[in-house]
Amino acid sequence: MAPKKLNEYERRRLENIRRNDEMMASLKLQSMATQLSAASIKRQRSAPKPKRISPKKKPKNDNLVVVRRSLRTRGILPDSKGLDNDLVESPAKSPNSQTLPSKPSIPKMGPLSMSQAFLDEGSDRALIETILSIGKKSELGVDLGAEIEAFKVCKEENLGVLRNSIKKEENEVGSSFSLYSMTLNPENVARVVQDRIMTLRFFPCRNSRIVAAGSKGGNVGFWNLDHQMEEEDGVYRYHTHSGPISGISIHRHCLSKVFTCCYDGYIRSMDAEKEIFDLIYSSDNAIYSFSQRSDDMKCLYFGEGRGDLNSWDERTGNCATQWTLHEDRINSIDFSSENPNIMATSSSDSTACIWDLRSIDADKPKPLKMVSHKRAVYSAYFSPSGKFLATTSFDDTVRVLSGDNFEETSWIPHNNQTGRWISPFKAIWGWDDSHIFIGNMKRGVDVISPAQRKTIFTLQSPHISAIPCRFDTHPYNVGMLAGATGGGQVYMWTGN
């Protein structure tokens, strides 16, 4: 077969390839690359491995580095006088420097004297004598005899009188009291404790205005608005517990004793006659709430641990009964004034329940009524007549149960997102079944009308510097409302 003839382009291409090969051969690049590659491999095999040099160890420094810590992490309360200069190496301190008073040690068991627990300078003799005075009157029936029967708000016939005196703007202005006449005067503001107030309670006495507050730091503060000495502010503080105080109970028939419970598992009884804080109960579990029946001043009912309810009897000094009523902690306990055997509890398991103490099964307790919320329920309180029940939940609702068997439920929207640094809101009833008081996030107090199912009024004042989150109404002084804040202040509204 004859070879294929190449065109001009192919011949020129082959000529260029031949010429380039001759040029590369004349430069001897291929042989030089082979020699360099062989030398590099030989050098790598013959070169010794470098010795591993360990880093030099730093000498130990005997001087410890002082880490700065805030007052909160050190457990020291803030003070305008400043901190101790305890980080300065010089042993000499300024003679004008002042330190915060240290808290007295709390014995694990046994009584704690009031003088040992007293935090303020001066004497608490005036408070003790005042409590003893009103306590004797309550025992003799001088102050709480016939006057209580005439003033009782738990009787249906007396509710009509209060309903006529507390009305809405167009027909809520009564001859003796008006909701819109409630005012906050600057002299009715005091810092009762130094940290967040967890619970607040009036002394249930007609002729006295004393309020007790329990704080997150384990302190109990008393504020006597009727104090006579001008050089004092009427505030007395005691350190009685090692954790947050979750409840205060003062029975109207035994005003000389003040019961307090705490997350540390202790229940103490302040006895003004013996001048001690006696330890009456201790547990390894936290105690989140407690209450007393109006017809029995010898028994305490308290929520312990995750859903347990205990009944402690002062006569025996032991717990008489115990039930497991909820799946999570019990946040509030309340008894109906119409029937003290009917009890309401609220829990972090998102439920509020109504119970009959006479028919609770120890193995499988069944409530008379259960109300379910979407989130934790922080309070469930009966109205003064016992015919209504108001619950407060973190799902931004206040529910009101009514009817013969509490079968009717009304939902009232309310912002209950208090956050981390403010205690959860707990709605309380006023002096009758017409109004509910609850704090708001705008430094005010919302007044809710169950009949209208909405907020109808807000108590505001330029003297309020923080959000009030805990409340109590004076049981015998209509128009007197106490509100407490996360900074330890107590505001006292009064009505004309």
Side-chain angles (χ1 to χ4, degrees), residues 101-116:
S102 59
K103 295 180 180 179
S105 59
I106 301 177
K108 290 296 181 181
M109 303 295 290
L112 176 67
S113 66
M114 294 183 66
S115 59
Q116 180 184 357

Side-chain angles (χ1 to χ4, degrees), residues 334-337 381-390 429 432-433:
D334 193 32
F335 294 94
S336 172
S337 58
Y381 295 133
F382 285 106
S383 65
S385 69
K387 299 182 180 300
F388 297 87
L389 181 74
W429 291 90
D432 67 350
D433 296 356

Side-chain angles (χ1 to χ4, degrees), residues 199-268:
T199 182
L200 191 68
R201 190 70 61 195
F202 270 109
F203 272 72
C205 181
R206 181 181 177 88
N207 296 327
S208 69
R209 299 183 301 167
I210 304 177
V211 65
S215 77
K216 184 178 180 180
N219 299 326
V220 179
F222 297 90
W223 182 20
N224 183 11
L225 278 77
D226 301 320
H227 67 281
Q228 301 295 329
M229 301 180 64
E230 296 182 356
E231 63 272 12
E232 295 183 0
D233 56 2
V235 176
Y236 305 88
R237 304 177 183 89
Y238 300 88
H239 186 60
T240 59
H241 291 275
S242 60
I245 295 178
S246 53
I248 296 177
S249 181
I250 309 170
H251 202 278
R252 61 189 178 93
H253 292 316
C254 187
L255 299 177
S256 61
K257 288 187 177 182
V258 179
F259 295 96
T260 59
C261 66
C262 181
Y263 286 11
D264 60 8
Y266 293 168
I267 297 179
R268 289 191 179 272

